[in-house]
Amino acid sequence: MRCLPLLRVSLSLLSYYACASSSIPSSWSSAPSSSSSSSSSSSSSTFSSSSWNVDWSSFLGRHNPVWSWSPGSPWMPSLWFQGSFIGNGMMGALITSSSSSSSSNGAKDMSDVDASSILNFEIGNSMVWDHRQNNKTLATGNFAYDSPRLPIGYLTLHVEGGYKVSTMTLDIYNAQTMGTIQIVNNDNNSLSNVTWRAIAHAEQMVIIIDVLVPSSSLTFSWVFTPERGNSPWNDQNPDKSYILNPVPVLEEVNGFNVSRQVLLAGGGYVTAWKDIELSSSSSSSSSSSSSTHRMIVLSVSINYDDINIAQDEAINNVAGALKTGLDTLLSSHYTWWHAFYPRSFVSLPDSMIEGFYWMQMYKIASGTRQDRMVLDLMGPWFVPHTGWPDIHWDLNAQLTYWPMYTGNLLDFASSLPSLLLRNVQQLLNNVPPSYTDSIALPVASGIDCSSTCYWVVTDSCKIAPPVITGDMMWVMHNLWLHIRRSMNDTDLKVHVYPLLRQSLNFYLHIIERNGTDGFYHLPTTWSPEYPGNKGPDTNYDLMLLKWGLSTMLQILQRLQISDPLQPTWEDALKKLAPYPTDINGYMVAQGVSFNISHRHYSHLFAFFPLNVQTWDDQQNRAVIEKSVDTWVQLGYNGGGFTGFSVAGAAAMSARMDRPEAALSNITYLLTKFVQPNTMYYEGGEFPVIETPLSGASSIQDMMLQSWTHNVSLPLIRVFPSISKTWQDVVFANLLAEGGFVVSARRANGTTQFIQVESEAGELCRIQTDMRGKIVASPSNVPITVLSSQNGLSVLDVQLKAGQNVLLYPSGSDTSSFIISALPGNQTQFHYWGFHPH
């Protein structure tokens, strides 16, 4: 047996990583390196403004989730997945009907509810994590105790007198939640309507809630209840060695209310808030002389060295917002969000699915930003009873970011590679010392990406066989999806190339050449969470390794650089063991058949999502079809499927020319797994954000695919998997591999037009079902029809960077080529929210 040779990375690369870790925003770009500006930020980049006819307020307004409940009603949104949510990529709040205890975030037993407490705002901040992992006194060796997300507290609105009816609306377009509470006056039993509005300001680190009470005789108050900053994992799995953080302390500092949570590992976090009365002269106030209009502003800040620094920052955030004033705050908040939505456009004939899709776009922009924290399992929201206060790397993080790539949100997706670049040294530390110049990710971690003894069975708690070993390479595929759309060769050379190199080095340490068959084989590893046996040549790892090797060789070719490891990579790719297969298709590993109902599709990676083997290649179809069908049948019939499984089945169906199955899976996902506010949970109602977001990615796959395994020849498939029941579909400014911004409209079951803008000047190859002669506008753009069969045409289009082309059947009326919303199904408007359907 002989192992592959390995070379160390240059010192200059390590020096670069040390520098990159100090800067989040500048560490990763989202713009193409060949262009000084990106067209993705403007709705007029692909079509002139006159070609867009979208009333965004009305269009998104028809999908606003709505709520209405009375005391004791079964439609009280008392649970986190039933209520509304707001966020700004860092801070957030889950808004529910109030219960007397938020420790379970809305207990089902409402018998002890305080009649005066009506609304509950569970406060979250995706920067608030513990940091005990390097403290010898406090560390347990398990990140779930040492470096988890931590709870902050909840804000409750109390109004004197009982309430009769409460309503709530999530206004997607303006990114605000509004409501009306019908209050019973204690003095004469008359009714008064209290109205309120809440935002997580798009740019400032504050949550703002303003309340209008129509009568000065009605009194209301805010009560903030801090939650002790201890690991939620310890609540689920108590550990005697876990030392609790101190009880938070409520104080008043210079007229501001503060809650101080000291962390034993150092520093702490502070919640600061202030409630003020607004003058009636405010344009945001329509109050009468007898009414009261108040605003509360809240901020959370953390500092691992000095809690007083966190306190000063939180207070300054609140003070700054109060000084700015409500009118200006609302104006800047609305401006940011109104600019966000037109970056792309999707309209579908099924209004339930259309509304779900746009809720995911709202969720992404609420959940992360380029200069803010990675989107973990909860995002900027927090559920105190969660058993998973962390980042999961064996599926969740990867699926979370998928819709950002085609959805033209590369700057938002940059929070993922930025996290990795800040923690390269830790990625190096995650492997055994003998694995020189190698990186790996654990199954789950805190924001430092460190490997601990959680789900790791090696003696040193390092990542090595026989545990799950492929997660870092899977994350590299995400970075590849990103780079193939940005086409930024600087990011490719400076970031992706060295990270992929070190990811491959990990495998070079463990693969071995078998003298009998001449192939390189992998030792026993674990296919993510598969409940059956383990074995060598696990397909999860084999497929990721083959993808990584071939991708690295493509990178060298594109960048025109040489690497001393190139012969090693070429040899490994040529002689890597074949994927184990049997009568069920792809096996889990050598000697381990896939015959247990299981939610993960890791053994199918060669087909999806890596596209190493594709449906287009006839020689692969039989094994792909058998493998997918076996997984789906076992999954549905055996009860192993969860929501992300169904979303994956939809995406695979879309790649297999099965449009009806794709739509059926999406519909099943939305009606059986997705919760009323489009959130999702598993386990003990633990939030896992990836499933709805991967559902949005599968919807994108029905409209636009551009996957390829040949770096120079991406094939852009327009409307590749549209159900016959969807006669009309329209999308604009979605992003395809090669740096192409694509728009198209389908009417009466036929593609009317496709418009493509090139951001990087790459070769554009398009597959379309347009019939007859296809013409281009402008006419001087060269197009070549490569094939035309089975109702599909493939053509090459020569575009320079910054150039766009409109493609359509000859003789079409181009005046009808408009990007506009479909009429929709009014019976499905406002589908989301907690209410009867």
Side-chain angles (χ1 to χ4, degrees):
M1 310 284 276
R2 80 180 165 85
C3 295
L4 284 170
L6 178 68
L7 297 179
R8 295 184 59 83
V9 72
S10 68
L11 290 176
S12 61
L13 286 176
L14 294 177
S15 300
Y16 162 74
Y17 285 136
C19 296
S21 64
S22 64
S23 175
I24 298 175
S26 62
S27 62
W28 181 276
S29 172
S30 58
S33 56
S34 60
S35 174
S36 61
S37 63
S38 171
S39 65
S40 63
S41 62
S42 170
S43 63
S44 61
S45 62
T46 302
F47 279 85
S48 65
S49 58
S50 61
S51 297
W52 281 67
N53 183 23
V54 180
D55 181 341
W56 283 96
S57 178
S58 175
F59 171 63
L60 293 177
R62 72 194 194 187
H63 300 305
N64 289 341
V66 294
W67 294 259
S68 179
W69 70 92
S70 56
S73 163
W75 302 108
M76 290 183 70
S78 59
L79 302 173
W80 67 268
F81 51 83
Q82 297 169 341
S84 186
F85 58 95
I86 55 176
N88 66 5
M90 189 77 79
M91 288 190 64
L94 295 166
I95 308 171
T96 59
S97 58
S98 181
S99 75
S100 61
S101 172
S102 185
S103 61
S104 63
N105 197 262
K108 293 180 180 179
D109 180 8
M110 300 295 293
S111 60
D112 59 348
V113 171
D114 179 352
S116 70
S117 62
I118 299 173
L119 292 173
N120 191 82
F121 295 77
E122 182 74 43
I123 304 301
N125 187 311
S126 54
M127 278 294 294
V128 175
W129 300 69
D130 212 338
H131 61 120
R132 302 177 174 209
Q133 60 272 24
N134 296 318
N135 186 302
K136 294 182 179 179
T137 302
L138 298 172
T140 66
N142 184 334
F143 84 93
Y145 298 101
D146 300 338
S147 54
R149 281 279 300 273
L150 296 176
I152 295 169
Y154 56 98
L155 191 65
T156 307
L157 175 64
H158 293 258
V159 181
E160 183 179 328
Y163 76 99
K164 188 173 183 180
V165 177
S166 184
T167 65
M168 185 164 66
T169 300
L170 171 51
D171 176 0
I172 304 173
Y173 184 53
N174 291 309
Q176 61 187 4
T177 299
M178 308 174 297
T180 299
I181 308 165
Q182 195 174 67
I183 301 296
V184 180
N185 295 293
N186 285 337
D187 51 357
N188 56 12
N189 289 327
S190 61
L191 300 177
S192 299
N193 287 331
V194 173
T195 59
W196 60 273
R197 165 180 50 199
I199 66 169
H201 194 273
E203 297 170 309
Q204 298 193 32
M205 284 301 136
V206 289
I207 289 173
I208 303 162
I209 312 168
D210 69 303
V211 181
L212 181 63
V213 179
S215 172
S216 58
S217 63
L218 283 174
T219 59
F220 72 93
S221 61
W222 289 103
V223 176
F224 179 79
T225 304
E227 291 161 326
R228 192 170 179 179
N230 291 312
S231 169
W233 179 261
N234 190 62
D235 295 338
Q236 305 289 329
N237 305 275
D239 186 331
K240 292 181 180 179
S241 67
Y242 180 75
I243 304 173
L244 300 177
N245 282 315
V247 174
V249 177
L250 294 171
E251 297 179 354
E252 184 175 326
V253 178
N254 298 326
F256 295 87
N257 296 293
V258 299
S259 171
R260 293 167 55 93
Q261 175 63 68
V262 172
L263 298 177
L264 293 177
Y269 55 96
V270 174
T271 304
W273 69 97
K274 189 166 186 174
D275 176 23
I276 67 167
E277 184 169 353
L278 298 171
S279 67
S280 58
S281 61
S282 168
S283 63
S284 296
S285 174
S286 57
S287 57
S288 65
S289 59
S290 63
S291 63
T292 302
H293 191 191
R294 300 191 68 87
M295 173 176 71
I296 186 170
V297 179
L298 179 146
S299 185
V300 181
S301 185
I302 186 169
N303 188 282
Y304 287 149
D305 298 316
D306 187 345
I307 191 173
N308 292 317
I309 295 175
Q311 178 172 294
D312 290 344
E313 184 175 59
I315 289 175
N316 288 338
N317 288 342
V318 173
L322 292 173
K323 183 178 180 180
T324 300
L326 181 59
D327 291 347
T328 303
L329 289 166
L330 291 174
S331 177
S332 57
H333 176 76
Y334 297 155
T335 297
W336 189 95
W337 279 94
H338 296 174
F340 164 74
Y341 287 114
R343 293 170 58 140
S344 64
F345 181 72
V346 168
S347 188
L348 307 171
D350 187 311
S351 295
M352 175 188 70
I353 298 177
E354 180 183 84
F356 167 82
Y357 180 85
W358 282 103
M359 279 293 291
Q360 304 324 297
M361 298 302 104
Y362 168 78
K363 191 180 296 179
I364 289 170
S366 300
T368 190
R369 302 283 171 80
Q370 181 174 9
D371 58 347
R372 298 179 188 175
M373 187 44 62
V374 71
L375 196 50
D376 61 29
L377 289 178
M378 292 185 286
W381 307 285
F382 194 87
V383 177
H385 73 267
T386 184
W388 301 320
D390 56 67
I391 307 168
H392 269 41
W393 295 108
D394 66 338
L395 174 140
N396 309 73
Q398 292 89 332
L399 270 61
T400 294
Y401 279 80
W402 280 353
M404 303 184 205
Y405 306 128
T406 300
N408 207 345
L409 299 173
L410 296 187
D411 47 346
F412 290 79
S414 295
S415 61
L416 177 60
S418 292
L419 177 76
L420 300 175
L421 292 171
R422 293 198 304 274
N423 291 287
V424 171
Q425 186 56 54
Q426 184 57 59
L427 298 177
L428 290 163
N429 294 342
N430 285 342
V431 303
S434 60
Y435 288 28
T436 54
D437 194 31
S438 302
I439 60 176
L441 274 167
V443 170
S445 76
I447 53 174
D448 66 341
C449 302
S450 63
S451 173
T452 66
C453 297
Y454 177 85
W455 269 24
V456 176
V457 295
T458 57
D459 293 338
S460 63
C461 297
K462 299 291 185 179
I463 301 169
V467 304
I468 298 173
T469 54
D471 295 346
M472 183 69 215
M473 190 65 82
W474 189 2
V475 173
M476 289 308 305
H477 182 254
N478 274 62
L479 270 58
W480 182 246
L481 294 175
H482 190 139
I483 220 74
R484 284 297 299 156
R485 286 163 174 81
S486 74
M487 301 307 296
N488 189 305
D489 285 345
T490 300
D491 280 340
L492 180 63
K493 183 175 183 178
V494 176
H495 300 307
V496 175
Y497 164 55
L499 286 175
L500 182 58
R501 192 180 197 274
Q502 292 173 311
S503 300
L504 286 171
N505 283 348
F506 176 88
Y507 280 105
L508 298 186
H509 282 290
I510 63 175
I511 62 173
E512 293 181 331
R513 185 87 171 269
N514 186 309
T516 302
D517 63 14
F519 288 117
Y520 288 106
H521 292 271
L522 284 164
T524 295
T525 55
W526 188 13
S527 186
E529 304 182 36
Y530 187 69
N533 294 327
K534 302 178 181 69
D537 287 338
T538 299
N539 263 328
Y540 176 63
D541 288 286
L542 269 181
M543 293 170 174
L544 282 164
L545 177 55
K546 185 170 184 177
W547 171 84
L549 289 166
S550 58
T551 299
M552 176 58 86
L553 296 176
Q554 293 169 32
I555 290 173
L556 298 183
Q557 180 181 0
R558 178 174 179 86
L559 297 178
Q560 294 296 294
I561 59 176
S562 59
D563 190 296
L565 279 177
Q566 183 171 346
T568 300
W569 296 328
E570 291 172 338
D571 183 57
L573 181 61
K574 181 179 179 180
K575 299 172 183 175
L576 193 62
Y579 307 138
T581 60
D582 64 7
I583 59 172
N584 289 333
Y586 297 122
M587 302 174 71
V588 174
Q590 192 63 252
V592 183
S593 180
F594 186 87
N595 54 21
I596 299 174
S597 181
H598 184 50
R599 61 191 181 277
H600 283 257
Y601 41 83
S602 310
H603 66 299
L604 304 177
F605 265 33
F607 170 53
F608 176 80
L610 301 179
N611 303 303
V612 174
Q613 293 186 342
T614 69
W615 190 251
D616 289 349
D617 191 341
Q618 291 291 333
Q619 69 178 6
N620 295 325
R621 279 200 175 190
V623 67
I624 290 172
E625 185 169 38
K626 184 60 179 178
S627 303
V628 172
D629 287 348
T630 298
W631 175 69
V632 170
Q633 289 165 9
L634 283 173
Y636 273 117
N637 297 334
F641 265 19
T642 56
F644 69 73
S645 315
V646 178
M652 293 181 213
S653 297
R655 283 165 166 74
M656 296 170 68
D657 298 332
R658 296 176 173 180
E660 306 309 326
L663 178 57
S664 176
N665 278 293
I666 286 293
T667 302
Y668 190 79
L669 168 69
L670 270 56
T671 55
K672 300 298 182 181
F673 288 100
V674 174
Q675 297 303 308
N677 61 1
T678 78
M679 294 289 191
Y680 172 77
Y681 66 77
E682 289 182 8
E685 297 181 355
F686 303 159
V688 275
I689 203 169
E690 83 293 321
T691 288
L693 294 173
S694 66
S697 177
S698 299
I699 294 169
Q700 293 169 347
D701 284 342
M702 297 164 70
M703 298 180 290
L704 180 71
Q705 296 177 25
S706 59
W707 46 266
T708 179
H709 197 59
N710 186 329
V711 72
S712 62
L713 294 174
L715 179 60
I716 300 171
R717 299 160 172 86
V718 180
F719 297 130
S721 190
I722 300 297
S723 167
K724 293 179 180 178
T725 64
W726 283 14
Q727 291 293 291
D728 301 326
V729 181
V730 59
F731 70 83
N733 285 12
L734 295 183
L735 198 53
E737 284 196 23
F740 297 104
V741 183
V742 185
S743 305
R745 186 165 193 133
R746 182 178 178 88
N748 298 319
T750 302
T751 301
Q752 278 190 311
F753 64 84
I754 301 169
Q755 184 147 339
V756 183
E757 179 175 0
S758 173
E759 294 191 318
E762 299 287 313
L763 174 64
C764 180
R765 180 165 290 176
I766 296 175
Q767 176 180 287
T768 175
D769 63 354
M770 286 192 290
R771 303 298 178 90
K773 181 181 179 182
I774 300 173
V775 298
S777 177
S779 58
N780 62 350
V781 174
I783 62 172
T784 303
V785 177
L786 301 179
S787 65
S788 184
Q789 56 185 357
N790 300 323
L792 295 175
S793 297
V794 176
L795 52 150
D796 280 352
V797 183
Q798 302 292 331
L799 290 171
K800 299 177 182 178
Q803 189 178 20
N804 64 67
V805 64
L806 182 68
L807 305 171
Y808 56 92
S810 178
S812 300
D813 178 10
T814 59
S815 65
S816 65
F817 295 172
I818 298 173
I819 296 297
S820 60
L822 300 177
N825 181 348
Q826 293 189 18
T827 65
Q828 295 177 321
F829 290 177
H830 308 292
Y831 180 89
W832 301 100
F834 194 44
H835 52 75
H837 289 299

